[in-house]
């Protein structure tokens, strides 16, 4: 069986990553269509050894398309995902537009793949926030074994999470600093080069940012509504790869050795945890990789049943493109969808 797949937002960072991952994983496609706004018509994108020309989303007919991988932002998704779903095409959306909708499953395949079956009301499945995705992959096996009750997480998020313009801003600012040029700020509220910005997304009334709220709300929806989570999200001058310092409290006793053993056998996780200089993962090594990496596992004796660890993942892959493709694989492997052309 092979499926007709459309990628919306084909020219963006995540869209281009989706094409690479579809090819790498030999996803069963009969046809792949690259879609974006009308201003991108004719732009070329790579899919394996093929080159695809971008077509306009507003002129495309989804009636014979099986899966739409949507990476065009929240406003586009709010407008188009229901229309596409109504045509019988399943939308897997990377934006925040549908994540908390009660009729839309929020899926990380290593964590809650079975919940994907609930897509049928709107034909939409949501991808979580990039920082949430890697966190719940790490929390899931620990929660199953030790019952996580509270999480304190600080994130160190790369600029690629804010798009290509943000990556360009880091590059241009860094070059300007070395050449004694003018450092201009457009995408971020303060300079990002050689700096940290303790704000991602807009501030809410309680002082948390929307990014921090997303981590709290999405973890509850994906993993367990009883988990208490507080987050501080920080933008750092790294191009690709989100890092997280995670502290958890569990209901059951937990040791570092037990946690290490549980994490080593969990899907989607690689443990790199040597107590020596360089015996841990950094975002530089995680870029381009599929795994969620765990390092610095240690007991936190300031609380009962406490554990601390370091978590790193490529935000464009597991945080977005890879997770979306994995969701599509779940739909196929669990026989939740059939190719429409072959079924006709």
């Amino acid at each position: 069986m092979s499926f007709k797949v459309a990628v919306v937002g084909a020219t963006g960072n995540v869209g281009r990553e989706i094409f690479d991952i579809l090819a790498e994983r030999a996803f069963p496609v009969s046809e792949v269509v690259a879609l974006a706004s009308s201003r991108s018509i004719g732009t070329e994108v790579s899919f394996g050894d093929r080159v695809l020309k971008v077509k306009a989303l507003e002129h495309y007919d989804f009636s014979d398309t099986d899966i739409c991988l949507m990476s065009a932002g929240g406003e586009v998704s709010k407008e188009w995902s229901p229309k596409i779903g109504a045509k019988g095409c399943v939308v897997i959306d990377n934006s925040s537009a549908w994540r908390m909708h009660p009729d839309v499953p929020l899926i990380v395949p290593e964590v809650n793949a079975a919940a994907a079956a609930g897509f049928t009301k709107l034909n939409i499945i949501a991808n979580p926030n990039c920082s949430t995705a890697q966190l719940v992959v790490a929390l899931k096996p620990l929660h199953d074994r030790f019952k996580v009750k509270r999480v304190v997480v600080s994130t160190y998020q790369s600029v690629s999470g804010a798009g290509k313009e943000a990556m360009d801003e880091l590059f241009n600012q860094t070059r300007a600093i070395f050449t004694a040029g003018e450092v201009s700020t457009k995408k971020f509220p303060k300079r990002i080069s050689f700096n940290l910005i303790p704000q991602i997304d807009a501030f809410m009334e309680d002082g948390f940012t929307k990014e921090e709220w997303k981590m709290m709300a999405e973890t509850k929806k994906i993993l367990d509504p009883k988990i208490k989570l507080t987050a501080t999200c920080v933008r750092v001058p790294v191009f690709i790869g989100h890092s997280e310092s995670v502290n958890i409290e569990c209901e059951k006793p937990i040791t570092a050795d037990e946690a290490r053993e549980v994490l080593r056998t969990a899907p989607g996780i690689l443990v790199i945890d040597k107590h020596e200089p360089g015996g841990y993962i950094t975002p530089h090594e995680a870029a381009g990789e599929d795994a969620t990496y765990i390092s610095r596992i240690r007991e936190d004796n300031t609380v009962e049943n406490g554990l601390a660890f370091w978590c790193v993942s490529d935000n464009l892959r597991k945080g977005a493109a890879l997770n979306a493709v994995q969701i599509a694989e779940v739909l196929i492997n669990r026989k939740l969808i059939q190719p429409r052309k072959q079924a006709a």
Side-chain angles (χ1 to χ4, degrees):
M1 289 193 300
S2 55
F3 297 79
K4 185 173 182 180
V5 177
V7 179
V8 178
T11 60
N13 285 343
V14 175
R16 291 177 186 272
E17 202 74 43
I18 285 173
F19 290 117
D20 289 344
I21 291 169
L22 288 170
E24 285 171 17
R25 296 174 75 89
F27 191 89
V29 296
S30 57
E31 184 181 350
V32 178
V33 182
L35 300 174
S37 65
S38 55
R39 66 178 180 272
S40 295
I41 290 176
T43 302
E44 294 184 344
V45 294
S46 298
F47 170 57
D49 56 2
R50 284 183 274 169
V51 174
L52 306 177
K53 286 193 180 294
V54 174
K55 299 178 180 179
L57 167 63
E58 50 263 43
H59 300 140
Y60 183 74
D61 182 3
F62 284 88
S63 56
D64 67 346
T65 304
D66 300 299
I67 299 167
C68 171
L69 300 169
M70 172 75 71
S71 292
E75 292 308 310
V76 173
S77 182
K78 283 176 188 174
E79 178 184 356
W80 284 96
S81 290
K83 298 176 185 177
I84 297 168
K87 291 274 190 178
C89 176
V90 182
V91 179
I92 300 171
D93 180 39
N94 266 307
S95 80
S96 61
W98 300 95
R99 290 175 189 158
M100 301 313 295
H101 193 290
D103 294 331
V104 175
L106 181 61
I107 302 297
V108 176
E110 296 92 336
V111 179
N112 64 338
F119 74 90
T120 53
K121 287 185 180 177
L122 293 177
N123 269 356
I124 301 172
I125 298 175
N127 227 20
N129 186 35
C130 45
S131 49
T132 304
Q134 68 188 70
L135 177 65
V136 296
V137 167
L139 292 180
K140 167 67 173 171
L142 298 172
H143 186 56
D144 286 348
R145 174 82 173 268
F146 306 105
K147 199 72 174 173
V148 176
K149 64 179 183 179
R150 181 171 183 259
V151 181
V152 180
V153 55
S154 295
T155 72
Y156 307 83
Q157 295 179 225
S158 65
V159 293
S160 57
K164 185 179 182 301
E165 290 179 3
M167 297 177 77
D168 291 343
E169 186 158 313
L170 172 57
F171 178 84
N172 291 333
Q173 287 181 357
T174 304
R175 182 174 58 186
I177 289 166
F178 279 112
T179 59
E182 183 183 348
V183 177
S184 62
T185 298
K186 296 177 183 176
K187 186 72 178 179
F188 295 114
K190 294 199 176 190
R191 188 181 103 179
I192 184 62
S193 182
F194 298 96
N195 201 16
L196 305 177
I197 300 174
Q199 176 199 349
I200 299 178
D201 212 327
F203 278 98
M204 302 173 71
E205 285 187 7
D206 61 3
F208 284 91
T209 65
K210 280 190 178 178
E211 185 83 358
E212 292 157 353
W213 176 84
K214 289 173 196 171
M215 292 193 75
M216 300 173 202
E218 292 172 18
T219 299
K220 289 174 179 288
K221 182 171 179 178
I222 296 167
L223 191 57
D224 187 339
K226 293 180 182 176
I227 289 179
K228 295 178 180 178
L229 186 146
T230 186
T232 301
C233 294
V234 182
R235 190 72 71 189
V236 297
V238 170
F239 282 109
I240 296 173
H242 286 359
S243 305
E244 298 175 350
S245 172
V246 186
N247 184 287
I248 64 172
E249 293 180 47
C250 301
E251 289 185 8
K252 300 176 183 177
I254 181 172
T255 68
D257 285 340
E258 289 172 332
R260 217 173 273 115
E261 178 187 344
V262 167
L263 290 166
R264 280 198 173 116
T265 58
I269 291 174
L270 280 176
V271 175
I272 298 178
D273 190 20
K274 296 179 181 178
H275 300 168
E276 60 187 45
Y280 39 79
I281 198 74
T282 67
H284 173 69
E285 290 104 30
E289 301 294 329
D290 289 347
T292 295
Y293 291 90
I294 309 293
S295 304
R296 302 291 322 279
I297 302 166
R298 59 210 187 275
E299 291 156 34
D300 177 5
N301 294 319
T302 66
V303 293
E304 193 172 359
N305 307 327
L307 188 83
F309 60 88
W310 177 249
C311 174
V312 182
S313 191
D314 183 326
N315 55 295
L316 298 180
R317 292 180 75 88
K318 186 57 195 170
L322 173 65
N323 200 72
V325 173
Q326 287 177 309
I327 292 170
E329 291 171 345
V330 166
L331 295 178
I332 294 168
N333 295 338
R334 292 180 176 241
K335 297 181 170 53
L336 297 173
I337 61 170
Q338 297 289 328
R340 297 162 83 186
K341 277 191 174 179
Q342 293 175 10

